[in-house]
Amino acid sequence: MLWLPARLAGGRRRQQRKEVFSRMTGAMYAAIGGLKTHMNNLNVIGNNVANVNTAGFKAQRQIFQETIYTTSRSGSNGTVTTGGVTPSQTGFGAQVGSIDLLMSPSTFNPTGADLDCMIEGDGFLMVGNKDAVINGAEDYGKLMLTRVGDLCQDPNGYICDGQGNVVYGFATVVNPYYDPTLEEGTDAYIAAEKIANAAGFTVKDKYAVSSQLVPLRVPTAAAEPTEKNGGIDKDGKHVWERGDPVYDLLGGVASDTDSSRTNINLADGKYFKDGAIDEGSLPEGTGSIDGKTTIQDYTGPVPNLEGKYVNLKSMSINKNGAIVGTGDSGTVVLGYVAIANVDSPSGVTHVGGPYYQALEGAGDITVSAVGGIMSGRYLNNQVPKTDGNTTTVPPMDDALGNGKGVGIRNGGLEASSTDVATEFANMIVTQRGYQANTRIITVTDSMLEELVNMKR
């Protein structure tokens, strides 16, 4: 029998204890990782349960994921004479793999408020500050997305949500292509209708819906008509009545080479002088579309404004997303709420409260209105332009979606998607998992104590 010197034998024993100690502390660190991951899962469950009555809340789920592995023996495929072996690996606990938003639509919660609404299907309302300018699809990110439709009218006539953010949509405006002198079926009517249809308008409707994305607002009220302010014509006929809605006028384009139009707010009063349009006050670069009507050509009556908004006795939102008000002068349609869809709804990023933004992971935003109202149109009333044999189409990103897979249900809000029974079951499983990991730490500590107390 071969005897080793005492010093070498003692060094070997110390090395063996060190290896055993390392393996055992690995188990402890794996358990600690499990504790942290289970604690984080409990945070997710707690947030879901806390928001069980939060309108529009979307529950989250945590996916557990394994951490790193060490390989003590590599695998082999075998040879002609020997079989293969599988690799031997030891894992070191669990970690958070992902925390996912469960964006599937929830149930309807009636509130009785006429302007409360729920989006049926995928999509979000678009809200933000009043001064957001949407020149193209690249500007959609300026607005926030929400599933909570707790809408109301603020003192300035804007349609806002419960947090004071204005709701963006497609507003009703004076139709720049409206021409009551044209008779249907005539060559002039057909030619004018073709040009109007290219922009999504018609020549026979006095008002139209602009595809510019703007804050929705109650129209301004007309003042008491008199002969002096133009409200009564020379024959004594009323051109408008007191309180009649005065819609925005669809103005010109940003430049003569650009086909996008803007809405010019009649309430400003700065574009009019002595009852007519003051061309000198128009925005720089105002031009025309295919040589057709611009704000300069508007010949309709310019109502003297009271400086306040139409007094609406009631206001509601219908199944097509139209915000409709009823006042002394009849029914007023403010416009249609915009619905935003993203490539990956679960990839949106929370930015506080009920609001999301389509940042990295969400993909591109597509904007539409419910029921195909804006189908076939482009943002900012852009139209294809033909120059000889060449037709230039607006950017495809500016094309508005059909929105036919989405609906609006009024009189209530979307309920929280938290399933209490599922959350409680997950809480029990998480608690037991946490408890099991603490047991691993206790057992590891006991074994380490035995190791430390070993005699030399």
Coordinates of all heavy atoms in Angstrom, one line a residue, residues 23 39 66 69 88 101 146 155 164 174 194 205 209 225 230 242 281-282 330 408 419 449:
R23 N -20.0 22.8 -4.8 CA -21.2 22.2 -5.4 C -22.4 22.6 -4.5 O -23.5 22.8 -5.1 CB -21.0 20.7 -5.5 CG -20.0 20.3 -6.6 CD -20.1 18.8 -6.8 NE -19.0 18.4 -7.7 CZ -17.9 17.7 -7.3 NH1 -17.8 17.4 -6.0 NH2 -17.0 17.3 -8.1
M39 N -40.6 35.6 -6.4 CA -41.0 36.9 -5.8 C -41.5 37.9 -6.8 O -42.5 38.6 -6.7 CB -39.9 37.5 -5.0 CG -40.3 38.7 -4.1 SD -41.3 38.2 -2.7 CE -42.8 39.1 -3.1
E66 N -34.9 29.0 -17.5 CA -33.7 28.4 -16.8 C -32.6 29.4 -17.0 O -32.5 30.1 -18.0 CB -33.4 27.1 -17.5 CG -34.5 26.0 -17.3 CD -34.4 25.0 -18.4 OE1 -34.7 25.3 -19.6 OE2 -33.9 23.9 -18.1
Y69 N -26.0 26.8 -17.5 CA -25.6 25.5 -17.1 C -24.1 25.3 -17.2 O -23.5 26.0 -18.0 CB -26.3 24.5 -18.1 CG -27.7 24.2 -17.9 CD1 -28.7 25.1 -18.3 CD2 -28.1 23.1 -17.2 CE1 -30.1 24.8 -18.1 CE2 -29.5 22.8 -16.9 CZ -30.4 23.7 -17.4 OH -31.8 23.5 -17.1
S88 N -23.6 15.8 -19.7 CA -24.0 15.9 -18.3 C -23.8 17.4 -17.9 O -22.7 18.0 -18.0 CB -23.1 15.1 -17.4 OG -23.3 13.7 -17.7
L101 N -47.9 41.0 -21.9 CA -49.3 41.6 -21.8 C -50.3 40.7 -22.5 O -50.1 40.3 -23.6 CB -49.3 43.0 -22.4 CG -49.0 44.2 -21.6 CD1 -48.9 45.4 -22.5 CD2 -50.0 44.4 -20.5
T146 N -54.7 54.0 -25.9 CA -55.4 53.5 -24.7 C -56.7 52.7 -25.1 O -57.2 52.9 -26.2 CB -55.9 54.7 -23.8 OG1 -56.6 54.3 -22.6 CG2 -56.8 55.7 -24.6
P155 N -64.4 72.2 -20.9 CA -65.0 73.6 -21.1 C -64.7 74.2 -22.4 O -65.3 75.2 -22.8 CB -64.4 74.3 -19.9 CG -64.1 73.3 -18.9 CD -63.6 72.1 -19.7
G164 N -57.8 64.0 -19.0 CA -57.6 65.3 -19.7 C -56.9 65.3 -21.0 O -56.6 66.4 -21.5
V174 N -66.3 71.7 -43.5 CA -67.0 72.2 -44.7 C -66.4 71.5 -45.9 O -65.1 71.5 -46.0 CB -66.8 73.7 -44.8 CG1 -67.4 74.2 -46.1 CG2 -67.5 74.4 -43.6
K194 N -65.6 63.1 -60.0 CA -64.4 62.2 -60.1 C -63.3 62.8 -59.3 O -62.5 62.1 -58.6 CB -64.1 62.0 -61.6 CG -62.9 61.1 -61.8 CD -62.6 61.0 -63.3 CE -61.4 60.0 -63.5 NZ -61.1 59.9 -65.0
D205 N -72.6 66.9 -51.0 CA -72.7 67.0 -49.5 C -72.1 68.3 -49.0 O -70.9 68.6 -49.3 CB -72.1 65.8 -48.8 CG -72.8 64.5 -49.2 OD1 -74.0 64.6 -49.2 OD2 -72.1 63.5 -49.3
V209 N -66.1 64.5 -44.1 CA -65.2 64.1 -43.0 C -63.7 64.2 -43.5 O -63.4 63.5 -44.5 CB -65.5 62.7 -42.5 CG1 -64.5 62.2 -41.4 CG2 -66.9 62.6 -42.0
P225 N -78.3 86.2 -36.3 CA -78.2 86.7 -37.7 C -78.8 88.1 -37.8 O -79.9 88.4 -37.3 CB -78.9 85.7 -38.5 CG -79.9 85.1 -37.6 CD -79.3 85.1 -36.2
G230 N -74.4 89.8 -42.2 CA -74.6 88.8 -43.3 C -75.5 87.6 -43.0 O -75.6 86.7 -43.8
R242 N -79.3 81.6 -35.1 CA -78.4 81.7 -33.9 C -78.1 80.3 -33.3 O -79.0 79.5 -33.2 CB -79.1 82.5 -32.8 CG -78.4 82.7 -31.5 CD -79.2 83.4 -30.5 NE -78.5 83.5 -29.2 CZ -77.6 84.4 -28.9 NH1 -77.4 85.4 -29.7 NH2 -77.1 84.4 -27.7
S281 N -54.2 86.4 -45.2 CA -53.9 85.7 -43.9 C -53.8 84.2 -44.0 O -53.6 83.6 -43.0 CB -55.1 86.1 -43.0 OG -56.3 85.5 -43.5
L282 N -53.9 83.7 -45.2 CA -53.9 82.2 -45.3 C -52.5 81.7 -45.1 O -51.5 82.4 -45.2 CB -54.3 81.8 -46.8 CG -55.7 82.1 -47.1 CD1 -56.0 81.8 -48.6 CD2 -56.7 81.4 -46.2
G330 N -80.4 71.0 -34.0 CA -80.5 69.6 -34.6 C -79.3 68.8 -34.2 O -78.6 69.1 -33.2
I408 N -67.5 49.7 -32.0 CA -67.6 50.5 -30.8 C -68.9 50.2 -30.1 O -69.9 50.1 -30.7 CB -67.5 52.0 -31.2 CG1 -66.2 52.4 -31.7 CG2 -67.9 52.9 -29.9 CD1 -65.1 52.4 -30.7
D419 N -58.4 37.6 -14.2 CA -59.2 36.4 -13.8 C -58.8 36.0 -12.4 O -57.7 35.5 -12.2 CB -59.0 35.3 -14.8 CG -59.9 34.1 -14.5 OD1 -60.3 33.9 -13.4 OD2 -60.1 33.3 -15.4
E449 N -23.0 22.9 7.3 CA -22.6 22.8 8.7 C -21.9 21.5 9.0 O -20.9 21.4 9.7 CB -23.8 23.0 9.6 CG -23.5 23.0 11.0 CD -24.8 23.2 11.9 OE1 -25.9 23.1 11.3 OE2 -24.7 23.4 13.1

